[in-house]
Amino acid sequence: MYRRRDDRRGQMIGDITNDLRRYSVDAQHIGHAFAGLHGLNATDLQALIAVMDAELVGDPITPGRLGERLNLSSGSVTALIDRLERAGHIRRDRDTADRRKVFLHYADRGAELARSFFAPLGRRTDDVMARYTDEELEVVHRFMADMVVSMREHRDAVRAARGGPAKRATD
Amino acid sequence: MYRRRDDRRGQMIGDITNDLRRYSVDAQHIGHAFAGLHGLNATDLQALIAVMDAELVGDPITPGRLGERLNLSSGSVTALIDRLERAGHIRRDRDTADRRKVFLHYADRGAELARSFFAPLGRRTDDVMARYTDEELEVVHRFMADMVVSMREHRDAVRAARGGPAKRATD
DNA sequence: ACCAAGTATCTTGACGGGCGAGATTATCGG
DNA sequence: CCGATAATCTCGCCCGTCAAGATACTTGGT
């Protein structure tokens, strides 16, 4: 499973792989813990973030697209939105042009919750990044962007392996 | 939520933050999709990986420690192990010294499954890393390692906010 | 212009299963 | 013998999937 190479570079590659895996798992756990702390689950939190994200870009999200993004069935999405709306985190708004569509907007409750999630995280990342020069951060960014592209391709490939042809959940 | 700073460095920090978030989400989805493809769920896959991981290091894991690592209750862990054992991915072994303890070992099924999960991922990451010099990878590693430390602290802080005093799920 | 069939979007209801909480059993250490 | 530890068992909740339905838009023929 782990190809342990003896050379320095091979060692480095293995280390970075572990870093990434640990980071992902920890990020997941943080979300889970924070969500539980506020009476919702990990998916709810992700959804709330997605709703704010979309709206702040000026392009409110619909249940359908939310489902694509979180990789959830339509039924789950409705239940999910019900929960969030009931808790006062978001609200529904029918599109006036196409009245089949529903736009999701965040409410004050939700905004505050998201802020209290991101604020401490932001502080921590800022602290870490302060230790690096612009050039170094540039390298990190290039690397991570490359990795994201590669992972996304892989995700689509795995998804395509079973059912429908890999819907690109654009993020 | 997003503090949009105008300077180059602020922009960079935001970009990297997004990279990391996207990577985590995608990694999660890959695990989910791959697991579903093979008749198990995301948790099962993580557990299988943890079992192999521990055993390859020469220190087989017990249900208790597995629960800590995945952040699961004892009941869930037992059910989880039941599923994996029934599917032929792992097997239980009572410790001869302390017969309360159960050691988890991977079976051939599980080993092959894990391999088929990691192999393509490894190829992709190798492809990406090939584009970077040793020095650049060194920077990436330093950065990610720092981030992991910071995230882990944060995770423990969030967990401590509700219930028990942050059990360090050592990885 | 109108109506019917087709398509898209969201909602509903039934169902299964993972997960958590607490009690129970088996074993170890003193 | 007694408290502590490790795993398991039992029960109930709730999330997510699936299939069917409701509503709204779109298209094509007459």
Side-chain angles (χ1 to χ4, degrees), chain A residues 1-166:
Chain A
M1 147 179 196
Y2 293 14
R3 11 177 234 310
R4 305 198 175 283
R5 309 185 215 176
D6 294 344
D7 57 333
R8 227 173 90 77
R9 189 180 170 92
Q11 182 75 33
M12 181 65 62
I13 289 180
D15 285 348
I16 293 178
T17 303
N18 279 332
D19 291 338
L20 290 171
R21 200 192 60 200
R22 289 193 181 124
Y23 179 88
S24 293
V25 172
D26 287 350
Q28 206 173 328
H29 283 171
I30 289 172
H32 189 271
F34 181 88
L37 203 59
H38 292 86
L40 25 84
N41 62 32
T43 305
D44 294 357
L45 183 62
Q46 271 190 278
L48 178 59
I49 292 169
V51 168
M52 294 197 57
D53 206 351
E55 187 163 3
L56 288 181
V57 175
D59 182 26
I61 202 169
T62 65
R65 288 202 299 135
L66 182 62
E68 285 174 16
R69 180 142 161 189
L70 302 188
N71 199 31
L72 253 62
S73 70
S74 61
S76 304
V77 173
T78 298
L80 163 72
I81 296 173
D82 285 346
R83 288 197 299 273
L84 285 178
E85 196 173 33
R86 204 179 315 124
H89 292 306
I90 65 172
R91 62 187 164 73
R92 287 174 160 101
D93 255 343
R94 286 264 164 203
D95 184 358
T96 50
D98 184 341
R99 293 217 307 285
R100 292 171 303 182
K101 284 186 183 173
V102 169
F103 285 132
L104 303 176
H105 302 283
Y106 65 85
D108 292 351
R109 268 295 301 268
E112 192 181 352
L113 189 63
R115 179 180 306 278
S116 72
F117 175 70
F118 281 114
L121 270 178
R123 272 195 297 275
R124 285 192 182 273
T125 56
D126 284 356
D127 286 352
V128 170
M129 299 212 194
R131 296 176 216 155
Y132 294 82
T133 67
D134 287 10
E135 290 71 29
E136 286 171 334
L137 289 185
E138 188 97 39
V139 170
V140 171
H141 175 39
R142 236 183 351 114
F143 178 82
M144 285 309 302
D146 282 358
M147 285 298 289
V148 167
V149 169
S150 187
M151 284 303 105
R152 205 149 281 201
E153 284 175 10
H154 187 55
R155 180 198 64 182
D156 291 343
V158 175
R159 283 189 183 165
R162 68 169 159 188

Side-chain angles (χ1 to χ4, degrees), chain B residues 41 43 73 76 97-100:
Chain B
N41 63 33
T43 306
S73 72
S76 301
D98 184 343
R99 291 222 307 286
R100 293 171 303 180

Side-chain angles (χ1 to χ4, degrees), chain B residues 24-169:
Chain B
S24 293
V25 171
D26 288 350
Q28 207 174 327
H29 284 170
I30 288 173
H32 189 270
F34 181 88
L37 202 60
H38 292 86
L40 25 83
N41 63 33
T43 306
D44 295 356
L45 183 61
Q46 271 189 277
L48 178 58
I49 292 169
V51 169
M52 292 195 59
D53 208 352
E55 186 162 4
L56 288 181
V57 176
D59 181 26
I61 202 168
T62 66
R65 290 202 299 134
L66 182 61
E68 284 175 16
R69 178 142 163 189
L70 302 188
N71 198 32
L72 254 63
S73 72
S74 62
S76 301
V77 173
T78 299
L80 163 72
I81 296 173
D82 285 346
R83 287 196 300 273
L84 284 177
E85 195 173 33
R86 205 178 317 124
H89 292 307
I90 66 172
R91 62 189 164 73
R92 288 174 160 99
D93 254 343
R94 286 266 167 201
D95 185 358
T96 50
D98 184 343
R99 291 222 307 286
R100 293 171 303 180
K101 284 187 183 174
V102 168
F103 287 132
L104 303 176
H105 302 282
Y106 64 86
D108 292 350
R109 263 309 287 271
E112 191 180 353
L113 189 62
R115 178 180 305 277
S116 71
F117 176 71
F118 280 114
L121 269 178
R123 273 195 298 274
R124 286 193 182 272
T125 56
D126 285 355
D127 286 351
V128 170
M129 299 213 194
R131 296 175 215 156
Y132 294 83
T133 66
D134 286 10
E135 290 72 27
E136 287 171 333
L137 289 185
E138 188 98 37
V139 170
V140 171
H141 175 40
R142 245 198 325 129
F143 179 82
M144 286 308 303
D146 282 357
M147 285 297 288
V148 167
V149 169
S150 187
M151 284 302 104
R152 205 150 281 203
E153 284 174 10
H154 187 55
R155 180 199 64 181
D156 291 342
V158 175
R159 283 187 183 166
R162 69 168 161 187
K167 300 184 176 182
R168 288 202 64 81

